[in-house]
Every structure is written in C-alpha cells, then in structure tokens.
Amino acid sequence: MPNTNEQRLDIISNCNLLLTKLHGYQSTDNRPEGRMIAQLTWLKERAENHDLPLPVKPEMLGTLRYIYMDGTLNFHASNPKDSECVYWEMEMPMDRLLSLAKHGRLLIKSEYLKFIPSCID
C-alpha cells in the first residue's frame, strides 16, 4: 500500500504529541525517555522527509513497541493516577503510531464514520 499524505501527517502529529510530553529530556540511550525521544524523532524526521516506508519493519520500532506494552512512560500523563487520562495522553498516541507505522493502516477518524454504513452494504 503506498504511503499517503494523511498517514505521513498523522505520524508527525502523534510524534509531536508524545514529544511534547517528554519535553525536557535528552535524546540519549540511558533512560526510557531518551530512547523514546530518539524513536519519535526518527519517525517524525522520516515522515517529514517523505522517506518512511509503510509498514515500517517491526525491528525498527522496538522502543515504541516495548514502551507501549510496558507502560514505562505512562507517568508522564498530566494525571498518571487516572487511567482515562493515561490512555488519551500516552497510550492512544502510541497506539496510533503503531497502527500507522507497524501496520501501515489509516486511522479511523470521526469524519469517516458517515461512510461506514455504505461500506457495509
């Protein structure tokens, strides 16, 4: 499936959301925040340069996949004790990135919902 401009922009947008949450940390390999910043920066730069082949090989997304499953950075949500807050601020952007990058899928957006019934028929 060819990369679409929409996928590229969604990757950039979700990377920006997570990079904002990790503001103040350095892109180094000695902390989970640093490794995640390096992963997000790589994805974002490749998407901005139009050279991110989708789907991305799973081994190229190791940090994102691990941190998503592990929940290591969930405490960066504005209210880490609220699971709803953690979901929307941390887990959802990572889930969207995995859907876009690892699987090469488009995101389901509210503006598409009106077309779903016609697709079912």
Side-chain angles (χ1 to χ4, degrees):
M1 173 161 112
N3 298 4
T4 68
N5 195 46
E6 183 177 357
Q7 287 168 308
R8 188 180 67 76
L9 293 174
D10 285 341
I11 287 171
I12 293 167
S13 172
N14 283 286
C15 284
N16 285 335
L17 286 171
L18 291 167
L19 286 168
T20 299
K21 290 290 183 186
L22 301 173
H23 178 71
Y25 290 91
Q26 298 297 316
S27 177
T28 61
D29 284 349
N30 61 354
R31 296 185 61 137
E33 291 87 352
R35 290 189 298 274
M36 188 65 160
I37 289 170
Q39 175 84 93
L40 296 170
T41 302
W42 178 81
L43 277 170
K44 181 181 171 187
E45 287 175 355
R46 296 288 304 266
E48 288 173 337
N49 293 331
H50 299 269
D51 66 348
L52 182 66
L54 297 177
V56 177
K57 293 179 183 177
E59 59 269 17
M60 298 300 291
L61 299 171
T63 298
L64 176 61
R65 294 169 64 206
Y66 179 80
I67 288 177
Y68 173 73
M69 295 303 295
D70 182 67
T72 303
L73 300 181
N74 287 348
F75 71 92
H76 286 287
S78 58
N79 185 359
K81 294 185 188 299
D82 179 7
S83 61
E84 187 90 7
C85 180
V86 169
Y87 175 76
W88 288 107
E89 292 181 16
M90 299 305 294
E91 292 174 359
M92 180 58 82
M94 286 189 272
D95 184 54
R96 288 177 177 161
L97 280 173
L98 286 170
S99 182
L100 288 159
K102 183 180 174 207
H103 304 292
R105 297 182 184 135
L106 289 168
L107 298 179
I108 296 175
K109 298 178 181 171
S110 58
E111 58 264 25
Y112 302 149
L113 296 179
K114 62 185 173 189
F115 299 108
I116 291 176
S118 62
C119 293
I120 294 172
D121 289 341

